[in-house]
Structure formats: C-alpha cells, structure tokens
Amino acid sequence: MKNYVVKGNLCYSENANSVRLLPNHYLVIENGLCAGTFAELPEKYRALPLEDFGDKLIMPGMSDLHVHAPQFSFRGLGMDMELLDWLNTYTFPEESKYRDLEYADRAYESFARHLRVSATTRAAVFGTIHVPATTLLMEKMEKSGLVSYIGKVNMNRNSPDFLCETSVEQALADTEQWICDTKDRFQNTYPIITPRFIPSCTDELMHGLRKLVEKYKVPVQSHLSENYGEIAWVQELCPDSKFYGDAYDRFGLFGGDHKCIMAHCVHSGEEEIELMRKNGVYIAHSPLSNSNLSSGVAPISKYMECGMNVALASDVAGGDTENLFRSIGHAIRASKLRWRLLDQQVAALTVDQAFYIATVGGGSFFGKVGSFEDGYEFDAIVIDDTALDHPQELSLRARFERSLYLSDDRQIAAKFVRAERLF
Ligand code: GUN
Ligand code: FE
C-alpha cells in the first residue's frame, strides 16, 4: 500500500536553519512519495486509507552515515584511549572474530535488531574484511526493512596478521566477487567500496579499488582527518600528498565522479575543505565518537555555511550508541564547547541545524530523503512523548526540542521506510 494519508504533528526541515512545525496536519503519500501537507484534507484524497497518529509527532527518519556493525558488540566499552591505540587494543581483535560466521550471525542479528527499532531509517555501514560475514550482514539489514549501504572493509598494511588481507590480488578478487554477488540481489541493501583508511591500505590496493568504483559505479566510504596522530602518520606514509584528503584523491577515491562519504573531518585544513566541497564529499559528523576518542570537535556550522554535504553519524563503537537522538544532542553540546573554548568564528549548532543534518543532510546521500516536502520518499518516525511527562503546557516547538534531546527507542511508536510500515 503506497497511497495513504497520515495525520499528526508534522515536524520537518524547511531549510538548513529552520524546522517547519504543522500541528494536526495531514500528509499525503502517493506512490511512496510525499505529495502534500494539509490542515484540511482535500476532497480528492478522502478515499485514501488514513492513519491518525493523534497528538504524536511525525518526523522524517534519520540517516546514520557512518556506523561499524562489528563494533556494536563493544559499544560503551574501551573509551580510555585515542584512535590508534583504541583500534589496536579493542577494535581489531573484536573485528577478527567475524571470520567465524556463527559469531557474526549472533552479533549482526543484534545489530540489525537494534537499528530496526531506532530513529535510523537509512545507514552507511562498515563490516569487516570478511566476505561471508559481510554478506550475512547485508541479508540481515535487508530483512530489517532499513535502506543501507554496506562495506566489506579493505585493509592490507599496518594491520595485525589476524585481521589483514592475504594479498592485494585476493583482496580485490574478493571485493569484486562480493560486489557482483550483492549489487542486484537486494531491494534496499547495496555494496559500498570501503578502504578502512589510508594507513590500512597500500597504493596498489587503492588503485585496484578505484578500478572497481569505475567498473561497477559503486560509492566509497572511509575515514578522514579524525585524530592528530593519524594525520601525522598519513603524512609520513604519503609524503607526496598535500593533505590527508589528497592522499585519497590521488587514487580517485575522494568523490567527484562518484558518491563518497568521509567520516569525521575534525581537523581538515582549508585546502581539504575546498576539495571536499568541490567534489561533493559527504562529511559524516560523529560527535560522540570524536568526544569519546578525544579526537576533537569538527567545525560543522562552518561546513554547512560553505554549502558542503554534512550528515550525522553514530560511528559506533567510537560512538557509544546507535541512538541518533543522542548524537543530535551531543553535536550541539560539543559545538558549544568548541565555540567557547577554541574558536568564536565558528558558531555553535542550533537544534534546527542538528535536526537538518540528521534528516535531510544524510538523507540526500540516498536521493530525495529526509523531508516531507513534495517528492521526498516517505521515511518517518512517529514519536510518542507522553512518557516524557511535564507539569506545564508545552508548545509543539517545545515538544519537538525535548523529543530530540530526551528520546530513545521507547518513544518511537511507528516507523516507515520507503513508505513501508516497519511497525
Ligand atoms: N579509523 C580507521 N578505522 C576506524 C574505526 O574503526 N573507527 C574510527 N572511529 N576511526 C577509524
Ligand atoms: Fe569509523
């Protein structure tokens, strides 16, 4: 059923800086797409099925543009180190377990189950280097009803023996076979080329991945300018590169002719920023991770002002939760500390801006997604805020703000992805 009407308190971004709030409005869905909001339902739509959500809030689903499925198992653990030590101590040993398909089955079942009931309707996900486990993850994500890009991770240098490709040839052959096996297999789940980050991949491997991007027209995801130690290491490994992003760009893995997501961009310089803007690279802003791993705070409002593509991300397990409401609150909080302590030239994020990057910002990676304007795919979450009780009268605006700061899965009463109702 792709033609119907929902009714409730509609909340969605009208632009990057402001939210439109429509109390007790009708939203018409035609062929799965938003086709108008109305205070009074026009005659021609009155025969359509109507789902009345009463006093609940209806908002677009959110996109998590950077999350590591195999790290979900240790979310909330191991926050005592910075990135490079954290990877070696906690992350790589855990990811190596996904060679065991039985372990992967249990772990990915848990990941997909949690994501299904979360605010996330679309995601860009890292798996591990293991093809069978990554394909299994795709099957589970397809079943979840969410729309996602899933990456088989590539890493063949500076990686422990227990989590390293056996050879460049093998890595590329595995990746190509996996793309062929999965690219047309699912309705809502797609492969994405995933070099872990520059320190993990030799030049030869990167050249090979670029050829796969060209051949199969698949997008790319990786990490960029997250941590000072990492950035210095990339400069050592690639002395000819002008900056970290240039090291990807030299291989043709930095957007331009393909869609590209770079997580973090905490310490990007002006040249890197300009190249990302020019190439339409998506910045997956991961504020919880950037605080947990002491990486820093990315200048998000500056990126938005420059007209760059900015999305929100959990980066589990650098981020401790998949709950994007927490990331919204923390993006705002961290931006205020950055403004206060570091740089008054870059304004703190507003609630409306953080909501925008969580919905339209990341949604645009998938097409017309993340809004209820005409022509957008209908992805939505319905918020029941009655348990967030309060003694005073609250405006819809106040309820909207509180919902973003205070909600978790328990407030999500219904969820729609591509106009299909998940629950
Ligand atoms: N850089 C390379 N790998 C990772 C990872 O797994 N998480 C984070 N946050 N940064 C990375
Ligand atoms: Fe990450």
Side-chain angles (χ1 to χ4, degrees):
M1 183 193 68
K2 295 283 184 99
N3 296 307
Y4 53 92
V5 181
V6 295
K7 184 172 184 241
N9 296 306
L10 307 180
C11 313
Y12 60 98
S13 294
E14 55 190 2
N15 58 50
N17 298 309
S18 81
V19 170
R20 177 172 289 141
L21 298 171
L22 301 174
N24 292 313
H25 269 58
Y26 298 88
L27 170 60
V28 174
I29 292 103
E30 276 187 317
N31 299 316
L33 306 181
C34 297
T37 56
F38 307 94
E40 295 286 332
L41 192 62
E43 183 66 42
K44 62 177 176 177
Y45 298 125
R46 294 208 181 141
L48 291 178
L50 168 71
E51 183 74 55
D52 188 346
F53 288 107
D55 198 35
K56 297 182 179 66
L57 283 65
I58 307 176
M59 54 180 78
M62 297 180 190
S63 290
D64 185 346
L65 235 56
H66 182 77
V67 53
H68 295 262
Q71 298 175 17
F72 189 68
S73 55
F74 69 99
R75 66 197 183 284
L77 290 173
M79 298 305 187
D80 54 338
M81 291 177 184
E82 289 191 47
L83 175 67
L84 300 175
D85 289 334
W86 174 83
L87 287 173
N88 286 316
T89 308
Y90 301 110
T91 308
F92 293 162
E94 178 61 25
E95 288 194 15
S96 73
K97 296 180 188 168
Y98 291 75
R99 78 161 68 86
D100 170 2
L101 208 53
E102 193 275 326
Y103 184 78
D105 187 69
R106 277 189 288 133
Y108 285 157
E109 184 67 27
S110 158
F111 173 77
R113 183 160 38 82
H114 279 83
L115 229 59
R116 184 183 134 78
V117 297
S118 74
T120 302
T121 46
R122 312 230 175 186
V125 185
F126 275 54
T128 60
I129 63 173
H130 314 98
V131 170
T134 305
T135 303
L136 182 67
L137 173 61
M138 295 178 88
E139 290 165 3
K140 289 183 185 298
M141 287 304 295
E142 178 74 7
K143 250 201 221 155
S144 77
L146 271 58
V147 176
S148 60
Y149 284 95
I150 310 275
K152 174 232 172 303
V153 172
N154 279 272
M155 46 197 292
N156 75 331
R157 68 171 173 184
N158 299 313
S159 306
D161 291 344
F162 55 79
L163 189 68
C164 191
E165 312 282 5
T166 48
S167 68
V168 173
E169 295 71 29
Q170 188 65 51
L172 293 171
D174 282 357
T175 305
E176 182 160 13
Q177 187 62 51
W178 162 74
I179 293 170
C180 293
D181 287 347
T182 59
K183 70 184 171 55
D184 300 316
R185 190 171 144 197
F186 304 107
Q187 267 187 343
N188 292 329
T189 314
Y190 321 103
I192 180 168
I193 297 276
T194 306
R196 180 169 211 120
F197 65 159
I198 291 280
S200 297
C201 301
T202 60
D203 292 6
E204 221 184 333
L205 179 57
M206 295 296 264
H207 282 303
L209 292 177
R210 165 65 199 184
K211 290 205 181 100
L212 297 179
V213 170
E214 282 173 32
K215 189 166 172 187
Y216 296 103
K217 310 286 177 236
V218 271
V220 172
Q221 62 179 356
S222 195
H223 295 91
L224 181 70
S225 297
E226 175 178 4
N227 163 286
Y228 287 127
E230 171 211 25
I231 295 166
W233 194 20
V234 169
Q235 196 56 52
E236 266 173 45
L237 291 166
C238 311
D240 294 339
S241 65
K242 286 187 278 181
F243 46 90
Y244 193 161
D246 184 46
Y248 288 108
D249 196 47
R250 282 166 186 238
F251 300 110
L253 294 170
F254 203 56
D257 63 0
H258 57 276
K259 290 200 294 182
C260 176
I261 302 167
M262 286 288 154
H264 307 301
C265 312
V266 174
H267 303 291
S268 296
E270 292 305 325
E271 279 184 294
E272 185 163 284
I273 292 171
E274 178 48 27
L275 188 59
M276 281 193 283
R277 197 196 54 73
K278 183 168 131 264
N279 286 359
V281 170
Y282 276 75
I283 295 163
H285 176 44
S286 310
L288 287 169
S289 172
N290 298 155
S291 290
N292 287 329
L293 300 180
S294 309
S295 302
V297 186
I300 294 304
S301 67
K302 170 175 167 176
Y303 294 158
M304 292 175 78
E305 271 170 32
C306 296
M308 301 172 81
N309 290 318
V310 183
L312 195 64
S314 68
D315 191 31
V316 160
D320 43 276
T321 174
E322 78 287 5
N323 175 0
L324 285 180
F325 292 116
R326 293 284 170 277
S327 288
I328 287 178
H330 196 65
I332 298 166
R333 205 174 289 126
S335 74
K336 289 177 176 173
L337 289 174
R338 189 185 191 284
W339 175 82
R340 171 65 66 194
L341 299 173
L342 186 70
D343 181 1
Q344 276 90 55
Q345 304 301 315
V346 176
L349 285 174
T350 64
V351 168
D352 294 38
Q353 288 172 329
F355 179 69
Y356 176 86
I357 65 172
T359 54
V360 185
S364 66
F365 187 77
F366 300 85
K368 287 191 88 170
V369 173
S371 172
F372 295 153
E373 303 275 7
D374 288 5
Y376 276 75
E377 292 186 65
F378 184 59
D379 283 14
I381 51 175
V382 178
I383 304 295
D384 180 349
D385 62 349
T386 47
L388 310 174
D389 51 325
H390 51 88
Q392 77 280 44
E393 279 286 308
L394 287 181
S395 64
L396 177 54
R397 171 72 205 187
R399 290 176 60 201
F400 168 73
E401 285 188 18
R402 289 173 95 248
S403 295
L404 296 186
Y405 271 98
L406 303 180
S407 292
D408 58 34
D409 301 349
R410 290 169 293 186
Q411 273 65 50
I412 303 175
K415 182 166 172 177
F416 297 82
V417 180
R418 286 190 162 155
E420 296 289 346
R421 186 163 179 177
L422 268 51
F423 56 85

